[in-house]
Amino acid sequence: MMNQKYARAVVSGIFVLLLMVPYGIRKMAQLEEPGIGSDREEALDRYGFFLEDVTEEAGIDFVHKRATPDEKLNHILPQISSVGASVSVADFNNDGYPDIYLTNSEFGHSNALYKNMGDGTFEDVAEELGVANLNNFESGASMGSIWGDYNNSGFEDLFVYRWGRPALFRNEEGRGFTEVTEEAGLPGHINANNAVWLDYNSDGHLDLFIGGYYHEDLNLFDLEHTRVMPDSYEYATNGGLNYLFRNNGDGTFTDVSEETGIRQTRRWTLAASAVDLTGNGYPDLVVANDYGVDEIYLNRDGNYFENAGEISGLGFVPKSGMSVDFGDILNQGRYAIYITNISEAGVLMQGNNLWMPSSGREEGTSGSVRYRNVAGSMGVEIGGWGYAGKFIDFNNDGNLDLYVANGYISDEPETDYWYDYSRVVGGNRTIIEDAVNWPAMNGRTFSGYQENKLWLNDGSGRFREVGSSVGGALILDSRAIAVADFFGTGALDVVVANQNQPVRLFRNRVRGDHHWIGLDLTGRTSNRSAIGTLVFLYQNDGRITKKHVSGGDAFSSQSQRPVHFGLGKDPSIDKIEIVWPSGIRQTIHSPQPGRYHKITEPESATAGSSGVLSNGNFVSAAGSNSEPANSIKSEPLSLEE
Amino acid sequence: MKNRFFIPPGFIGPLLITALVLAAHISFGVLDGWDKFAVAVGTAVVAELFFHRLMTGEWRNLSSAYISGNSAGILVRSPMHWPFALTAAISIASKYVFRFRGRHIWNPTNFGVVVMLMIASDSMAILSIQWGSNMWAMLAIWLVGVLTIIKVRKFHICAVYVISFLFFAWIRSLMGEGVFLAEIAPLTGPMYQLFILFMITDPRTVVSTRKGQMIVAFLIALVEMFFRLGEAVYAPFYALFIVGPLALVIDILYRERKDAGVNMESGKISAAKA
């Protein structure tokens, strides 16, 4: 036995070392972090891009105003109305330039449709086209929107979900919009915070998923009682219903939520997105729920959905799911799923989830999926009070990076509501579900003034935060993120919608020697928006990158429909494979980089005869040579710009 | 007749906490994950073996380390593994570093989580939300816990603390704009279940007399009220962190003086008899 005195000294020394562990870990993390700087040339040199705030010169002056529900909830209004700032992108008039739709929420305040004028500026045409005045007591408050050509007319239609009556607008050839909600057979009242276009049965018509947040029986603007809050912080069972509407192909929809098994729970759904994860040709749904576990609904050949949340590993530990996005972050032709949650130092450390398909098991080989959370080891776990988490290749190096919106309620600085919040959410359901029991906020900040995260992917499974060096790290209450090539440079620009605050548009300046390619897909047998189409890009170095056309993703967001790939310094491409929702597969060899290619789905007969359209040349599936998109062109970037 | 179902007192704590963890995690998935939980328990056990062997040259019973590891595994919330290990290690190490008259004076897990909140709050938090929305599950856990506490004769500590907490919650609701139900809400959550059933009743760190234990429970609730007025999220842990060791040191000194007095008296009597 060691001498007692020395033993005590050794134990004390070890104890002191233990106390120093967090300090050491922090120091090591700081060493890995880039220095703060905003020098554009340095950012271009080190990271290959920088983001420039061009909101004002683009003519965008939209400021979101939050909804004002029943005065019985006034004492916690900022919490109740913490969402509603959303952004979706579509080329509504087919002029080749992506346009921006932004939702407002307060009654009397208009939504905005910013038409891209093609010269770096935008013009709000919502009023003249009939999609501006959507926030009023009769209809409710807008929470978000998604674009999709539900009637296969060749023009993207607009669906706006609200705390109230959802609204479907038919696009009249880009010259205006006609509301068709009633004739479409959509429901009268849902307190929805997300929606996704998907063709769940691959019949060529876009179906519609709507996620409910507050219970649909509640009219938040005229409450009969105050039991509107979740009945548990992590196991809530009193949220809004989720809906799946089948498109009948004649302008009407039928509620198939029950028969397809999509309506199994009453969780508080905040986000959802769809893509084929099992390889059976039908889109699966991943649903992020606040106050509970997330869900993954596997599509069984377009007949029904099977909730595989728990068995897949994704839906066991309850957190506060806020956003869903898919990304092939290791260029292996497999999708990871990123779901944001809440992290607040010392109070609540949920951490964001990055779900990777289990190693050694290809997606779809058994009709099932299995995931493990690798957010910690990849460095994308600790954000803040997260909302939209969106994969985007910022610098066109071929590796998907990540932009995460953070920040809940920024009110009076140096104040904090967390103490009061932690008291109530620790309580039993009889206490927590009644808003009357929630302490008044009185202008206090609640996880506010948080920076958004820009995590750069090094291609080998590690991300590092570069927001302070490249711009774009807003300290606003950011909610939604959409990416699109607004300026036709081949780089993906970023729009960030902020709650009760102004929207920001960032132009992405990418180093000239990083190449790219874009595909603007049009369905023929499949839905015309090509939503759900998978695209695999094979590079000569063996990398395979998977992307798809999304019908809505992240949090209350939708990005440009054309599929965009960064290629890095080597522009050579072996081939591109396109898997259309109809099942038609198409292969294009050695496509020319640096431009968008318009590709129309081949006739089924054409594809059916050969199975794969692969003639060794760069051709569209319809048999004609591909044509570059009429106005989105590659423009080499010079630093002097 | 010998009771066939006799459970040795030393096993009651480990069995109770194991039952709680299993019931809570299987029902509600309360843990951050079995892996993190195992890290906490494993670290606590290894640290106990190591430190005890180092200090005494002997191996020791691991039931208290097991409870500390379980508590750390339940209480710590972090996406990373190292805070679980570090909390458990600091908890166990504190028993060997901070000793007074041969006794450790802090409840190990209470010490561990409070220190971690001071040095690593950017990497971890403490369980402060409920395990489920089911009232019956909560009542069942309380019932089993209370029956066990009665069996180990510590119920009076829990009762005084709960009554004091309710009283001070009522005072707080009168003092501010707080709603009484919001003030007592935390009491219905699992953080307090662990705090009341395991921490303030820890046999190693409570004072010696029944009356003293009740006074200390009241003082913990009193100090907690001040932390709550200062909007400290983890007020009960801070209160126990301060009151617990102070009370124990005073108790030890008081007993020493009392014993010395008794010895002196008996010495005088012996001398007088002689």
Side-chain angles (χ1 to χ4, degrees), chain A residues 344-523:
Chain A
E344 176 69 26
V347 187
L348 186 62
M349 294 295 285
Q350 293 179 332
N352 298 334
N353 294 338
L354 178 59
W355 296 104
M356 283 292 289
S358 291
S359 55
R361 187 172 194 170
E362 289 299 319
E363 286 173 25
T365 51
S366 63
S368 65
V369 286
R370 183 94 190 137
Y371 292 93
R372 62 196 173 92
N373 183 14
V374 295
S377 58
M378 289 201 173
V380 292
E381 189 160 44
I382 305 300
W385 190 299
Y387 278 96
K390 177 72 190 159
F391 287 113
I392 164 178
D393 183 356
F394 281 116
N395 52 8
N396 284 349
D397 68 349
N399 300 316
L400 272 183
D401 313 304
L402 196 50
Y403 189 108
V404 177
N406 287 313
Y408 190 34
I409 299 162
S410 299
D411 212 320
E412 288 176 28
E414 309 302 321
T415 61
D416 193 1
Y417 184 70
W418 263 108
Y419 168 74
D420 286 307
Y421 188 73
S422 68
R423 274 189 305 166
V424 177
V425 299
N428 188 262
R429 67 187 304 170
T430 50
I431 297 171
I432 184 176
E433 73 179 348
D434 194 339
V436 164
N437 296 325
W438 287 63
M441 294 195 72
N442 292 330
R444 275 179 287 179
T445 287
F446 192 5
S447 279
Y449 302 104
Q450 294 185 342
E451 267 196 351
N452 295 344
K453 300 283 187 187
L454 281 81
W455 274 305
L456 207 59
N457 182 354
D458 69 2
S460 64
R462 282 293 295 176
F463 288 76
R464 63 171 172 164
E465 219 285 305
V466 297
S468 56
S469 301
V470 299
L474 288 172
I475 307 184
L476 294 172
D477 297 336
S478 299
R479 295 290 177 270
I481 301 163
V483 300
D485 184 358
F486 292 113
F487 306 101
T489 62
L492 292 176
D493 311 297
V494 183
V495 189
V496 185
N498 305 295
Q499 182 72 9
N500 218 32
Q501 291 168 332
V503 70
R504 309 310 299 177
L505 170 62
F506 293 99
R507 181 166 179 165
N508 188 359
R509 309 282 190 175
V510 177
R511 207 158 74 188
D513 59 348
H514 284 191
H515 302 276
W516 62 278
I517 188 169
L519 306 175
D520 190 1
L521 307 176
T522 301

Side-chain angles (χ1 to χ4, degrees), chain A residues 525-526 533 578-586 601-608 611-613 621:
Chain A
T525 309
S526 305
T533 304
I578 302 170
V579 183
W580 297 87
S582 61
I584 296 170
R585 301 173 81 93
Q586 181 177 7
E601 183 182 13
E603 298 280 4
S604 55
T606 310
V612 170
L613 186 75

